[in-house]
Amino acid sequence: MQAKKRYILVFVSCAFLAYAYFGGYRLKVSPLRPRRAQHESAKDGGVQPHEQLPSFLGAHDMQELQLLQSNQSKSLDSSKHLVTRKPDCRMETCFDFTRCYDRFLVYIYPPEPLNSLGAAPPTSANYQKILTAIQESRYYTSDPTAACLFVLGIDTLDRDSLSEDYVRNVPSRLARLPYWNNGRNHIIFNLYSGTWPDYAENSLGFDAGEAILAKASMGVLQLRHGFDVSIPLFHKQFPLRAGATGTVQSNNFPANKKYLLAFKGKRYVHGIGSETRNSLFHLHNGRDMVLVTTCRHGKSWRELQDNRCDEDNREYDRYDYETLLQNSTFCLVPRGRRLGSFRFLEALQAGCIPVLLSNAWVLPFESKIDWKQAAIWADERLLLQVPDIVRSIPAERIFALRQQTQVLWERYFGSIEKIVFTTFEIIRERLPDYPVRSSLVWNSSPGALLTLPTFADSSRYMPFLLNSMGAEPRHNYTAVIYVQIGAALGPNAALYKLVRTITKSQFVERILVLWAADRPLPLKKRWPPTSHIPLHVISLGGSTRSQGAGPTSQTTEGRPSISQRFLPYDEIQTDAVLSLDEDAILNTDELDFAYTVWRDFPERIVGYPARAHFWDDSKNAWGYTSKWTNYYSIVLTGAAFYHRYYNYLYTNWLSLLLLKTVQQSSNCEDILMNLLVSHVTRKPPIKVTQRKGYKDRETGRSPWNDPDHFIQRQSCLNTFAAVFGYMPLIRSNLRMDPMLYRDPVSNLRKKYRQIELVGS
Amino acid sequence: MTKIKNLLSFVTQSRAISHTNPREHILNCLTYGLLVIVALCAGFLLWDLSSSPRDGFFHGKRDSHTLILDLEHIQELAVNPEAEQRARNVNCTFWDCLNIYKCEHDRLKVYIYPLQEFVDEQSDKTATTLSSEYFQILEAVLKSRYYTSNPNEACLFLPSLDLLNQNVFDKHLAGAALASLDFWDRGANHIIFNMLPGGAPSYNTVLDVNTDNAIIFGGGFDSWSYRPGFDVAIPVWSPRLVRQHAHATAQRKFLLVVAQLNILPRFVRTLRELSLAHSEQLLLLGACENLDLTMRCPLSQHHKSLEYPRLLSRGKFCLLGRSLRMGQPDLVEIMSQHCIPVIAVDNYVLPFEDVIDWSLASVRIRENELHSVMQKLKAISSVKIVEMQKQVQWLFSKYFKDLKTVTLTALEVLESRIFPLRARSSRQWNTIDTNARSTFNPLFLPSLAPKSQGFTAVILTYDRVESLFLLIQKLAVVPSLQSILVIWNNQKKSPPHLSTFPSISKPLKIRQTKENKLSNRFYPYPEIETEAILTIDDDIIMLTTDELDFGYEVWREFPDHIVGFPSRIHVWENVTMRWHYESEWTNQISMVLTGAAFHHKYWSHMYTHAMPGDIKDWVDEHMNCEDIAMNFLVANITNNPPIKVTPRKKFKCPECTNTEMLSADLNHMRERSACIDRFSKIYGRMPLRTVEFRADPVLFRDNFPDKLKRYNDIGSL
């Protein structure tokens, strides 16, 4: 045979084989067609295969419809099958919404009276702090009939029967509560439940009934979704208010921490939840992964120890926990006996990104907080993958995660007060009349606690999220002049001059005069003409205005509070509020320039009169100064722009203690506003241009000339700092000037020429 | 078979004899041997073709290839009645019912069972019949990145058994069919799509089939039947969707439209009362007499019927009321018409509730408060309505527009549980990504940068050693300077030896680059240990210590802004319809040049690794506009303007002005104007923001003793 032929023959046979192997099945299917004849017709003609098939909604659903249409009978309404009682509570089945229609108030049961059971059990420090936080808050009511939620006077935080804080006879104590009603509308705070050896999460030692549980360490199966609230575990020294801020000081990129992953803690050799921590030593490499455990805890650890204990203890002693926290990018948060652990909050505060090894744990406030932005989930089943996981996270992600730990810590976890308030706000958002805040609001600064959704339904009207919404503050401003002294009003009075100046501003929309002076209101015709700009005069003298006035504006001694100048008046329709004292001297250019600066920083106070606070070592107290300094931390609202929302926040959010201080002293309202805004923004206010003296000194009778006035302001500042729990004010070293201010160019080229003429 | 073989071998032998060449002989033998093998194989193939189709060897092979969704070839399988069935495990969580070890690959893989028809051999009934919707779901998975044909590498298993509508199949048979699946294993890692669960009279909110540990993608969960973190809530699909183009709010005449047919009678009564009281604002429609589902008729019989679901676009809000079942196809119908759903179904788990923030796109009202729905809706501001409507429109187009999208979204929800690292955050799930002005500032920590850290000065230099040394000496005395990094951008010449550099008390590092690129100044060098970078040209020696120190102070207060000294402005020229770059002394600025500016190191990282388009390459190629590019980058990400510090300064030496320079200057300016044009096209908008302010020290130009001022030497020309 010729070579050519041979090759062709071999090739052809191989080709045939290949065809038979890969394509041959086509030959054989035709005889075996199933009973799907109906599709054959549609096979051709470019019809999509799914169009040959019937829809999943069919005639059956039509029958149901007819049933509903025809059956007008009440059988469907009364049909019990649709309202069968489910075992678990939901808001609709276990909560009385009618108690909460108007306001969201919380009642605390008084401490138990002495009775046959003996003395009332002592309350643990943490529970006392929870009660104090509520009592001093705006949620509190002493009237049980007005209350929406009830808080027990019985300490339920620690329900581990082996613990020293364990309160006995809780069921009988509950039974004696006058409004218990099987726990309906009650909230029960709990940190620990269950005990050795099984640590059952749902064994509280009493039947919580229909009460909402605000509980730490809840698992996904225990939590009644949309009903219970998962709270973080906090330790005994946790502060009531404010507390330490997040410890991240710098925002370096990349972070360049010494360790990548760290954990230091005890491990349980046996029993529930011990496996995860017992196997951590596999991940420890002593270089960038430091995971050290000890068995040295409890009385009889020697008896229970395993053969790794000695080695583990040696490694354990080599590292300091605080140092690890500060110098590690990620911190492992493995479960202990219970799902939650102290490590979580500690890591969060330190800006050490939590890596969670606690399967089925419901993270604190999980229904609102998007933990994906601040923590990493690992899986206990895949423990050995943890190093790969943390190594695979890019630097940008770490950068964002670390910042978010601080935002969350500061806004929701920094103190017991914040944890309790957050719990309340989560429950409150379930109420029918209360607007729901979006997840964006919850997960970005300044957070939900400082975003009152009753102010407006869109974040568009608030100063915080404008950039992320792609929006700008609305145009123009409302000038609000607060008249307190009411000096004799000649035609050239400072007040009239001020009104004339404002009228010339190109951005003013409306002028509002708040008349709080004892003198009678001047006649309408006495006011300078304002042409097209509406001028409203509101008399605050005797009768308090009903609108928007919370309990704050009400008078105790018949004297109106000076806080009235910050009431959210309906007349203020613009985002920007220009707050002025009656004797402020500013020119139109100054107003317009300050307004343009404010538009770029709508969340801050932007204005003229700057003051500073400082720590006075000699008095061991905060000092307040109006002297010229190289820095400032307060811009007085005698001549300043701020966002309308702060009026609302001032009136409806600030602690009543603070407002009372202002009312009693008839002073310091401007300082309080500065503290509030700095607390919200964590940024200093902004001073514009050189002008410092903004008061018309000629007016004489000004309280500013009174030395007592100044001392009072010192003491205000200290009271405020105490109630806030920290000093929110932040210093700034700069002021904003017009671009060509005092530049050696012709004044004609400058936009704000009047400002050039103003001295200091 | 053996006979043929014998015959062939005989022929081979006989032929071999006739030839003499031994080599030829061997080759021939080989060829014939091959032919024999081919013949054998062919015989075997033929035999196989005629045998039973189910257990041939083709099948085993074919399964490892991509599944073909062919309606013509559906396998018939007998249901195994003995297979163990277990009721749905209500205590399933992600942590114990999902076999995570199957999912250890780097991405989610889904295996689809081949189309099979399960037949009960006793009654000869089929378990389920395939519907068009389920076919589309299977097709979507098949064509997605999740699909795998290999059951051994699959994390999830998708049965081809259609369980979408519980009304149309036998529950028991379906359970048996599931249990007889090849890889069933008590349902672990199986996903089951179901849209209409339950049936009369109880209307359970979850599929009444024995699904054991399987994950249910269900359309009608209530919060009791939903296993959080395990099941996925999906929408009930509607076959009646029609395309809708954006319908502005203003054109929507009614505040609320109710066109759902199967609302429970007691709620219908409430709605009737409401429609009498608010006839102008509430449009209440019922079924037409012929029960045509694509039509709705007003309750009073005088008006003409309306086309459904198109009529929903007449309302700003549309009601989804309580029916016998929780989930209704009306939700997607409402969303398809960009109407804001008002959900009056207590405890209904909304589709994709884990990831979608429904508060941005819906109103929820308790069933018992339906009577106050109009008050509640009237209280919503028009701004909010527009926002919600946009959100509905966007959500619909992103996650609900067809079954493919719904399927892939559902799988992504599951993927983000199994691979939490790759999960999108709730912001990413819910922010409208088509709005270019909506920004997210990556430096969102609201705190001042620490003072102690100081800044790193990064000096880009080519060969001006003299001026460089001068600059280094000036910088070294700035108190807040932490270290200096010299970027030697000259490859032809080595940088002067370190010992020749001026001796300073701060750390100084020199780095020679591999290429003379302008972008080298923005590379996030590991040598930079501070947050703040001062980028400075080697000829900027006119800045004073106080100015630099103060500049850093300002940057600390605005760490996410570019803070610097020389400023520029962009203006729109109506004549040429182009952007124009302007360096005159003006009242406004929109850029701060990086010849002397502070910025956060993160921006260097973004510049190097995440600059959109080809901007970076373009800059390196043209040796220009790197500073404009940086200003665009930061402004686009944050929407923030740059901050200019201290008064205007002359940054160019006065003696440099000669005619040659001037023309070069003109060219330079023209090129930079072109840059602005080019960049704004790449970004699709003009991100730069114009401001009228600059930052000065608090006591700047104050009549105050100089020694008490912290920054004195500021503002000299």
Side-chain angles (χ1 to χ4, degrees), chain A residues 435-438 440-441 451-466 468-472 474 575 643-645, chain B residues 359-360 379-390:
Chain A
V436 179
R437 282 163 280 217
S438 71
L440 185 64
V441 170
T451 309
L452 305 185
T454 44
F455 171 71
D457 46 15
S458 167
S459 298
R460 181 77 190 67
Y461 297 113
M462 304 207 193
F464 314 118
L465 297 173
L466 293 175
S468 56
M469 299 182 74
E472 281 184 355
R474 290 177 295 163
D575 281 347
H643 197 282
R644 180 172 78 119
Y645 175 65
Chain B
S359 70
L360 294 170
I380 297 172
S381 70
S382 54
V383 172
K384 180 73 178 172
I385 292 178
V386 173
E387 277 175 21
M388 287 207 276
Q389 204 170 29
K390 275 191 193 148

Side-chain angles (χ1 to χ4, degrees), chain A residues 349-600:
Chain A
Q349 179 182 16
C352 185
I353 301 156
V355 176
L356 305 160
L357 265 183
S358 185
N359 287 6
W361 181 28
V362 180
L363 290 179
F365 309 136
E366 197 173 79
S367 58
K368 296 293 173 192
I369 291 176
D370 180 20
W371 284 105
K372 280 188 212 100
Q373 297 176 43
I376 301 288
W377 267 110
D379 194 320
E380 286 181 66
R381 292 172 286 177
L382 305 174
L383 182 83
L384 296 181
Q385 285 189 4
V386 171
D388 290 341
I389 290 176
V390 291
R391 281 187 214 283
S392 72
I393 299 170
E396 296 99 322
R397 181 91 189 274
I398 293 175
F399 189 62
L401 285 163
R402 192 177 58 231
Q403 291 181 74
Q404 186 69 4
T405 60
Q406 299 299 287
V407 170
L408 294 178
W409 166 264
E410 230 163 64
R411 302 303 176 182
Y412 302 112
F413 297 101
S415 66
I416 289 182
E417 188 186 66
K418 281 175 192 155
I419 293 173
V420 172
F421 288 4
T422 310
T423 312
F424 285 166
E425 286 301 314
I426 288 175
I427 296 170
R428 195 179 192 178
E429 280 196 2
R430 301 173 186 159
L431 302 181
D433 287 344
Y434 202 69
V436 179
R437 282 163 280 217
S438 71
S439 75
L440 185 64
V441 170
W442 274 94
N443 291 293
S444 48
S445 228
L449 295 187
L450 288 160
T451 309
L452 305 185
T454 44
F455 171 71
D457 46 15
S458 167
S459 298
R460 181 77 190 67
Y461 297 113
M462 304 207 193
F464 314 118
L465 297 173
L466 293 175
N467 266 344
S468 56
M469 299 182 74
E472 281 184 355
R474 290 177 295 163
H475 286 278
N476 297 345
Y477 65 85
T478 308
V480 179
I481 308 171
Y482 185 67
V483 183
Q484 194 180 11
I485 311 150
L489 289 167
N492 283 323
L495 177 61
Y496 291 161
K497 262 197 257 172
L498 185 60
V499 171
R500 271 193 287 272
T501 313
I502 299 169
T503 313
K504 280 183 259 164
S505 164
Q506 51 174 319
F507 301 112
V508 66
E509 186 172 288
R510 185 176 289 186
I511 302 171
L512 199 59
V513 178
L514 304 177
W515 194 268
D518 298 334
R519 282 171 187 275
L521 277 170
L523 292 173
K524 233 180 186 157
K525 59 177 183 188
R526 300 278 296 276
W527 291 97
T530 55
S531 67
H532 62 283
I533 296 150
L535 174 82
H536 298 263
V537 183
I538 296 172
S539 170
L540 302 174
S543 58
T544 43
R545 289 161 53 90
S546 55
Q547 54 140 20
T552 53
S553 70
Q554 266 140 42
T555 54
T556 42
E557 308 126 42
R559 189 178 54 173
S561 169
I562 197 169
S563 295
Q564 287 182 103
R565 72 182 301 177
F566 298 137
L567 282 182
Y569 294 100
D570 284 347
E571 284 85 352
I572 305 174
Q573 285 299 321
T574 54
D575 281 347
V577 176
L578 166 62
S579 170
L580 292 161
D581 284 344
E582 59 192 313
D583 48 359
I585 38 166
L586 290 171
N587 59 48
T588 313
D589 272 358
E590 284 175 308
L591 295 180
D592 286 354
F593 176 68
Y595 171 74
T596 57
V597 174
W598 175 85
R599 284 189 64 78
D600 274 302

Side-chain angles (χ1 to χ4, degrees), chain B residues 53-106:
Chain B
R54 234 165 271 157
D55 33 41
F57 82 41
F58 292 129
H59 267 276
K61 291 290 172 194
R62 213 184 93 200
D63 277 357
S64 70
H65 292 255
T66 309
L67 176 74
I68 294 163
L69 287 180
D70 189 347
L71 295 173
E72 308 294 320
H73 317 119
I74 295 180
Q75 295 176 53
E76 261 181 52
L77 285 183
V79 169
N80 175 7
E82 267 99 65
E84 189 193 16
Q85 289 189 42
R86 287 186 202 229
R88 178 172 181 265
N89 180 355
V90 291
N91 282 334
C92 263
T93 65
F94 172 80
W95 310 100
D96 41 32
C97 287
L98 186 97
N99 182 356
I100 197 78
Y101 303 109
K102 288 194 180 213
C103 308
E104 282 184 279
H105 306 279
D106 52 345

Side-chain angles (χ1 to χ4, degrees), chain A residues 77 458 600 737 751-752, chain B residues 31 269 369 387 689 692 696:
Chain A
D77 284 358
S458 167
D600 274 302
D737 285 334
K751 189 172 170 192
Y752 300 101
Chain B
T31 314
R269 276 195 293 280
E369 276 160 14
E387 277 175 21
R689 278 181 56 170
E692 297 182 332
D696 286 330

Side-chain angles (χ1 to χ4, degrees), chain B residues 437-471:
Chain B
R437 279 193 53 77
S438 129
T439 55
F440 173 70
N441 189 342
L443 291 150
F444 56 87
L445 188 67
S447 71
L448 307 188
K451 191 176 173 61
S452 55
Q453 218 177 46
F455 63 88
T456 306
V458 176
I459 310 169
L460 190 73
T461 187
Y462 193 74
D463 56 2
R464 282 185 287 207
V465 177
E466 196 180 326
S467 145
L468 173 70
F469 287 179
L470 204 58
L471 176 65

Side-chain angles (χ1 to χ4, degrees), chain B residues 418-550:
Chain B
I418 296 170
F419 303 99
L421 263 195
R422 248 167 294 146
R424 285 195 260 171
S425 71
S426 83
R427 186 174 46 76
Q428 288 159 328
W429 276 98
N430 293 293
T431 314
I432 301 183
D433 48 14
T434 49
N435 181 359
R437 279 193 53 77
S438 129
T439 55
F440 173 70
N441 189 342
L443 291 150
F444 56 87
L445 188 67
S447 71
L448 307 188
K451 191 176 173 61
S452 55
Q453 218 177 46
F455 63 88
T456 306
V458 176
I459 310 169
L460 190 73
T461 187
Y462 193 74
D463 56 2
R464 282 185 287 207
V465 177
E466 196 180 326
S467 145
L468 173 70
F469 287 179
L470 204 58
L471 176 65
I472 289 174
Q473 270 165 336
K474 289 205 82 167
L475 283 173
V477 294
V478 177
S480 48
L481 178 101
Q482 195 253 358
S483 65
I484 298 175
L485 178 63
V486 175
I487 306 299
W488 189 261
N489 221 2
N490 188 345
Q491 287 75 39
K492 291 172 196 142
K493 206 160 91 180
S494 302
H497 192 261
L498 199 57
S499 57
T500 59
F501 273 73
S503 63
I504 55 169
S505 57
K506 303 272 173 72
L508 171 79
K509 285 184 190 118
I510 302 142
R511 202 171 164 135
Q512 188 172 16
T513 57
K514 291 197 179 71
E515 260 179 290
N516 182 15
K517 281 196 212 163
L518 272 180
S519 296
N520 287 338
R521 88 177 327 167
F522 295 131
Y523 188 83
Y525 298 98
E527 285 92 338
I528 304 169
E529 288 164 355
T530 58
E531 283 180 56
I533 297 176
L534 168 70
T535 50
I536 190 157
D537 287 345
D538 54 6
D539 57 347
I540 306 290
I541 44 173
M542 56 295 282
L543 287 171
T544 65
T545 306
D546 271 356
E547 280 168 338
L548 286 167
D549 222 20
F550 177 66

